[in-house]
Amino acid sequence: MANEMASSRASLEQEVYLRSLTGRLVGIYEFQGFRKVAIISYPDRICESISTAAAVAFFDKYGYEEGKISIFDYGDDIEKTARSIVDKGFDAVYTAFGGEQKMSDVSSMFNKTIAALKSAGYKKALLIHVRAWLATKQLSALISDRSMKEYLRSLSEIRLFTADPASRKFFFHKVRINEDGSIKLEKYAEEEITQEHANLLKISLPPPE
């Protein structure tokens, strides 16, 4: 594990704390307006931290109800997870990947997850973590496949958060995919973050390839 975290200047404790700060904003803004949210989290300490923080913030801001959030661990049987998400009627799926994994692995997991959701017939909202967005080069690998591009365009909504530590801002966007494959981000919310949060973002880096 030490080697996996070697590229980051943040300690594991700082990385986990960073995800609690970020997860709070995800639960408030990226989950806003949804009735039931499924979180697909890689089963490691950092991804589980952001997943839990987002769930708690969602409950705290919008009220707790039974079955309002479910956390699914990413694993070999992602197809089964996707079918369960469809069967249980979730209206949004948040992909929480990218804490302790290499960016190439994040891209692979994200692509497999989207393919599984497509196969399961999921048609509702997709909520993207910024590191998955970066790992997939702004979804370019998926969009280059015509069938995947049309699937993403068919979803009810795609949301993304990005951060600018220098200006101490978090931004929340709706992702519009045009017929030609070009992408437009439409900001729907922003939040000023603390200097502590900004400093942690500056020193957090993914593991090396």
Side-chain angles (χ1 to χ4, degrees), residues 22 27 32 34 51 58 69 90 104 107 117 128 134 140 189 194:
T22 297
Q32 183 179 18
F34 295 111
S51 300
F58 187 52
I69 290 272
F90 289 95
S104 58
S107 179
L117 291 169
I128 304 175
L134 296 174
S140 61
T194 62

Side-chain angles (χ1 to χ4, degrees), residues 41-155:
S41 176
Y42 192 80
D44 66 28
R45 296 162 293 183
I46 292 177
C47 292
E48 299 287 11
S49 296
I50 196 170
S51 300
T52 303
V56 171
F58 187 52
F59 293 148
D60 186 57
K61 182 69 174 178
Y62 304 110
Y64 167 75
E65 294 176 22
E66 186 174 347
K68 193 169 183 175
I69 290 272
S70 286
I71 298 176
F72 298 87
D73 280 344
Y74 178 89
D76 293 335
D77 202 352
I78 188 62
E79 292 81 8
K80 180 179 178 182
T81 296
R83 291 193 298 271
S84 181
I85 287 169
V86 171
D87 291 344
K88 293 179 179 179
F90 289 95
D91 57 350
V93 174
Y94 173 59
T95 54
F97 308 143
E100 295 180 60
Q101 306 89 49
K102 297 182 294 185
M103 293 293 266
S104 58
D105 291 337
V106 173
S107 179
S108 176
M109 288 186 291
F110 184 84
N111 293 350
K112 288 177 182 177
T113 297
I114 301 306
L117 291 169
K118 178 178 181 289
S119 179
Y122 180 78
K123 290 287 190 178
K124 298 181 181 178
L126 175 66
L127 315 178
I128 304 175
H129 186 288
V130 64
R131 204 164 270 183
W133 172 256
L134 296 174
T136 59
K137 296 178 173 59
Q138 296 77 43
L139 305 181
S140 61
L142 283 165
I143 292 171
S144 65
D145 181 299
R146 182 182 178 86
S147 67
M148 292 303 290
K149 180 187 73 175
E150 292 308 316
Y151 171 66
L152 290 172
R153 281 171 46 81
S154 76
L155 296 177

Side-chain angles (χ1 to χ4, degrees), residues 25-37:
L25 298 180
V26 169
I28 293 171
Y29 291 105
E30 200 161 3
F31 292 6
Q32 183 179 18
F34 295 111
R35 183 178 55 88
K36 292 178 65 178
V37 179

